[in-house]
Amino acid sequence: MRKTIVTNQGLKIVVMMAMLVVIFAGIKSAADIIVPFILALFLAFVLNPLIVLLEKVRVPRALAVMLVATVVICVMVFLTSTLLVTLNEFARTLPQYRGIIVEKLRQYDAYFPQGELTFTPEQLAGYIDPAATLNLVSKLISYLSNAMAGLFLLLMTVAFMLLEVTQLPYKIEQLSDDPGKGMANVQRALDSVTRYLVIKTLISVVTGLAVWALLAFIGVRFAFLWGMLAFALNYIPNIGSFIAAIPPIIQTFLFNGVSDGIMVTGGYILINVIFGSIIDPKILGRGLGLSTLVVFISLIFWGWLMGPVGMLLSVPLTIVLKIALEPTAAGHKIAILLGDGTPHR
């Protein structure tokens, strides 16, 4: 009898895993359609607290959604246009960089004893291809220009999602066999994801502003570009903030000098320690219920499945997946593997 129960449980887990594989394969094949929808959904999570706040001061929900959407459009248009101007300026200066890089590397070569280095500054500069970087920047400019065209459609989707929020409890009650439990799980997922996204967005904004202020104070070119990069990559757990620091640090050492480079490196370390190692964990705490290893693996998995958007939203997507698996017998075991090992009472 016990053997039969164990076999049935194992079969349920295999079936659950097979279902997940089919679902993920469908997401992968339909990524062009699903990714914008997922992005709109999580943007709605971030904006909904503002709608609720306006409703508390007796602003009708439809008007509140319209006001918030208008503000978001204005902010996005301003930031995107400013970023496009900065990227165009960055692209124009790239062809001039090879000669400057060789000269700077010659200066750094003087710090090493004669004969210690087995390569010349010219050889090292040969590995630097401004044309490849220019091509990457051109693709990014084209992507942002196309994104401006899709911005209105994205925000329209977000607006309709925000208008539908009030009808969500009734729909879940009609679909669920156990309305009370189903709504409780959905509410827990909404609360967890909203809390994470709102807090992470605020921390990312402050991080981007801190980086921009640091670089502008030191006199590093394209400070706005690197601040935007720090804001965007701060959503990527564990490695995003470190990746965002590499280009401006290299640029500062090459074009501003050693002293400025050391100041920028120290500033980035200080910002990452304060926001990434102190404020972020203290505010978010262990309330996410995910292990550190799972967070890192989810970054790789969702990035492979959905591209850059998947990397940015890897943590909330994993939270939703974990909560969705918990109510079922087979899924509960998978949810335990995704968890942080803390017993829940």
Side-chain angles (χ1 to χ4, degrees):
M1 182 68 178
R2 183 175 181 181
K3 185 177 180 180
T4 304
I5 294 174
V6 173
T7 303
N8 289 337
Q9 288 179 345
L11 182 60
K12 288 180 181 179
I13 293 175
V14 171
V15 171
M16 178 67 71
M17 295 296 291
M19 290 173 60
L20 288 176
V21 170
V22 172
I23 292 171
F24 291 145
I27 293 174
K28 181 72 173 176
S29 61
D32 292 341
I33 299 174
I34 293 176
V35 169
F37 175 79
I38 295 292
L39 185 60
L41 181 62
F42 284 106
L43 187 58
F45 281 143
V46 174
L47 297 178
N48 190 59
L50 294 177
I51 306 298
V52 173
L53 188 63
L54 290 174
E55 283 185 308
K56 288 182 178 179
V57 294
R58 298 183 180 181
V59 177
R61 187 170 187 88
L63 180 59
V65 170
M66 187 180 301
L67 290 174
V68 171
T70 303
V71 172
V72 171
I73 289 175
C74 293
V75 172
M76 283 189 170
V77 168
F78 170 75
L79 291 178
T80 305
S81 58
T82 305
L83 186 58
L84 284 172
V85 171
T86 305
L87 284 172
N88 278 312
E89 181 184 357
F90 182 69
R92 283 197 303 269
T93 58
L94 276 175
Q96 310 168 8
Y97 280 1
R98 184 183 290 274
I100 300 175
I101 289 172
V102 172
E103 183 62 31
K104 288 293 181 179
L105 290 176
R106 283 175 180 165
Q107 295 177 12
Y108 289 127
D109 187 42
Y111 291 100
F112 296 93
Q114 188 69 24
E116 182 172 321
L117 297 179
T118 58
F119 51 83
T120 64
E122 289 79 5
Q123 290 173 333
L124 186 60
Y127 292 102
I128 302 172
D129 186 7
T133 307
L134 181 61
N135 184 45
L136 179 63
V137 173
S138 300
K139 288 182 178 179
L140 183 58
I141 292 173
S142 176
Y143 176 80
L144 287 174
S145 300
N146 294 333
M148 289 290 288
L151 178 62
F152 179 76
L153 180 61
L154 176 68
L155 289 177
M156 284 293 292
T157 306
V158 172
F160 283 116
M161 286 180 176
L162 290 171
L163 290 172
E164 288 281 327
V165 167
T166 54
Q167 302 175 18
L168 185 61
Y170 171 77
K171 292 181 178 181
I172 292 173
E173 287 178 1
Q174 298 301 312
L175 291 174
S176 178
D177 295 331
D178 187 352
K181 188 175 182 180
M183 190 59 212
N185 288 328
V186 172
Q187 189 61 51
R188 187 157 67 91
L190 290 174
D191 291 343
S192 298
V193 171
T194 301
R195 178 174 179 270
Y196 173 82
L197 287 175
V198 170
I199 293 175
K200 196 67 176 178
T201 299
L202 292 175
I203 293 175
S204 297
V205 168
V206 176
T207 300
L209 289 173
V211 167
W212 172 76
L214 169 71
L215 298 180
F217 175 77
I218 295 176
V220 179
R221 292 189 68 184
F222 313 116
F224 179 80
L225 174 63
W226 305 131
M228 287 291 293
L229 185 67
F231 161 75
L233 295 188
N234 194 62
Y235 282 95
I236 300 177
N238 301 326
I239 62 173
S241 56
F242 294 102
I243 295 175
I246 294 174
I249 288 176
I250 293 176
Q251 175 191 311
T252 307
F253 271 108
L254 288 176
F255 303 116
N256 288 60
V258 177
S259 59
D260 285 351
I262 293 173
M263 288 176 62
V264 169
T265 303
Y268 265 99
I269 292 174
L270 183 63
I271 291 171
N272 288 331
V273 168
I274 292 175
F275 293 106
S277 301
I278 299 177
I279 296 179
D280 199 336
K282 186 174 182 180
I283 296 178
L284 291 175
R286 294 175 61 86
L288 299 177
L290 300 176
S291 72
T292 305
L293 176 62
V294 168
V295 169
F296 184 72
I297 293 176
S298 70
L299 169 66
I300 300 172
F301 173 76
W302 292 111
W304 165 79
L305 189 67
M306 299 172 56
V309 173
M311 297 179 71
L312 295 175
L313 300 176
S314 59
V315 171
L317 285 169
T318 307
I319 292 173
V320 172
L321 178 63
K322 177 175 177 288
I323 293 176
L325 291 171
E326 284 177 351
T328 62
H332 180 70
K333 297 182 182 298
I334 301 175
I336 291 176
L337 294 176
L338 296 177
D340 56 9
T342 303
H344 298 284
R345 299 179 181 179

